[in-house]
């Protein structure tokens, strides 16, 4: 079946611009996660959704970062006034529920010039 | 806060040989889950194996097995009969039973030499 889909695959933007990253989770998966992976580094947790609510947004690095999820499905991660340090791969994952493994998308590589 | 440590940034092994990747974690919880994920150049994270902390038996998945030492907070991954397709970054991850987010280690880059 279809996996987690992320778009765009790659995004190049100028410093100071806003960007939106999209994640389509696996159908029926109630939990959705955003992670950030800087070059050669591990995965840094950003935010977790259960349905449309975000019980854990502790990983968002600043108020320039926000995320929403609508209809218990698609999620959008928005970065305002991008900075060069925002350059990274942004990974989305979904899960059918507690205790289940996460299923990841291929990520969006964001480059801020 | 929970932390996961992978002390081997890089490992290499000859094709068909066995390699063990190390992982330690820090937690005060008694119930939790541990995972190994593989990330090939395609960037997609692929689940390799999973272990529930309450299970004493080590998980196995074909050529992949773990050595789970709960008292030592150690969770190593053994890959037997290494294949060229096993080359990837390997990440160890921890999740509390009542929480949802995974906490990842920094990863180990595995190279398979033909």
């Amino acid at each position: 079946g279809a996996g987690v889909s992320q778009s765009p695959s790659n995004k190049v933007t100028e410093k100071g611009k806003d960007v939106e990253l999209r994640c389509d989770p696996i159908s029926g998966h109630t939990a959705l996660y955003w992670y950030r992976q800087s070059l050669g580094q591990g995965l840094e947790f950003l935010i977790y959704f259960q349905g449309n609510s975000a019980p854990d947004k502790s990983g968002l690095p600043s108020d320039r970062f926000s995320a929403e999820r609508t209809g218990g499905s698609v999620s959008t991660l928005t970065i305002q006034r991008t900075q060069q340090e925002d350059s990274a791969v942004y990974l989305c994952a979904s899960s059918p529920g507690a205790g289940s493994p996460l299923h990841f998308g291929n990520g969006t590589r964001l480059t801020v010039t | 806060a929970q932390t996961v440590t992978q002390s081997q940034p890089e490992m290499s092994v000859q094709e068909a040989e066995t390699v063990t990747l190390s992982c330690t974690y820090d937690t005060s919880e008694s119930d939790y889950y541990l995972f190994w994920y593989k990330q090939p150049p395609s960037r997609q994270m692929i689940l390799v194996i999973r272990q529930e902390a309450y299970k004493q038996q080590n998980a196995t998945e074909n050529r992949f097995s773990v050595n789970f030492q709960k008292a030592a907070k150690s969770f190593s991954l053994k890959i037997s009969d290494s294949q060229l397709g096993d080359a990837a970054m390997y990440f160890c991850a921890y999740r509390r039973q009542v929480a949802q987010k995974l906490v990842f280690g920094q990863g180990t880059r595995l190279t398979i030499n033909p």
Side-chain angles (χ1 to χ4, degrees):
Chain A
V4 177
S5 177
Q6 291 187 247
S7 60
S9 297
N10 292 282
K11 175 72 176 179
V12 180
T13 190
E14 292 181 352
K15 177 182 175 181
K17 300 285 189 182
D18 298 351
V19 295
E20 285 189 353
L21 312 181
R22 177 187 169 104
C23 173
D24 276 283
I26 293 172
S27 178
H29 281 195
T30 57
L32 186 146
Y33 312 77
W34 285 99
Y35 282 84
R36 178 168 72 175
Q37 185 176 26
S38 300
L39 185 63
Q41 299 297 311
L43 278 71
E44 174 190 7
F45 170 78
L46 297 178
I47 188 170
Y48 149 63
F49 287 93
Q50 180 62 42
N52 291 336
S53 63
D56 188 352
K57 54 180 77 172
S58 62
L60 295 177
S62 75
D63 58 7
R64 295 187 297 105
F65 287 73
S66 63
E68 64 175 11
R69 188 179 185 195
T70 56
S73 181
V74 172
S75 176
T76 302
L77 176 69
T78 301
I79 308 173
Q80 296 178 310
R81 306 182 301 281
T82 52
Q83 303 294 313
Q84 288 188 330
E85 60 262 29
D86 299 335
S87 296
V89 174
Y90 290 81
L91 289 164
C92 176
S94 68
S95 168
S100 301
L102 273 60
H103 300 260
F104 284 83
N106 286 347
T108 294
R109 181 180 297 282
L110 175 66
T111 303
V112 182
T113 61
Chain B
Q2 291 81 21
T3 59
V4 178
T5 302
Q6 294 179 247
S7 60
Q8 306 154 316
E10 297 184 355
M11 291 283 285
S12 63
V13 64
Q14 292 294 126
E15 191 177 4
E17 297 294 309
T18 295
V19 63
T20 299
L21 308 184
S22 300
C23 173
T24 59
Y25 57 93
D26 182 27
T27 184
S28 58
E29 304 289 329
S30 58
D31 290 326
Y32 48 86
Y33 302 92
L34 296 164
F35 305 85
W36 278 98
Y37 278 86
K38 167 185 176 181
Q39 186 181 41
S42 67
R43 295 200 307 242
Q44 186 173 23
M45 298 284 284
I46 301 166
L47 178 67
V48 175
I49 201 164
R50 163 190 173 176
Q51 175 83 41
E52 291 91 344
Y54 66 86
K55 291 186 177 179
Q56 293 185 342
Q57 186 172 9
N58 289 325
T60 63
E61 286 288 341
N62 301 313
R63 298 181 296 106
F64 299 87
S65 62
V66 298
N67 183 5
F68 173 46
Q69 301 290 327
K70 191 172 184 180
K73 297 178 183 176
S74 171
F75 183 61
S76 60
L77 174 70
K78 185 172 82 171
I79 306 174
S80 303
D81 186 26
S82 299
Q83 301 176 0
L84 295 178
D86 295 334
M89 284 289 290
Y90 285 80
F91 291 95
C92 179
Y94 163 97
R95 181 167 72 190
R96 289 171 53 197
Q97 191 178 43
V98 295
Q100 286 283 355
K101 71 181 182 185
L102 286 183
V103 176
F104 286 87
Q106 292 298 95
T108 296
R109 181 175 302 281
L110 178 64
T111 301
I112 311 295
N113 300 313

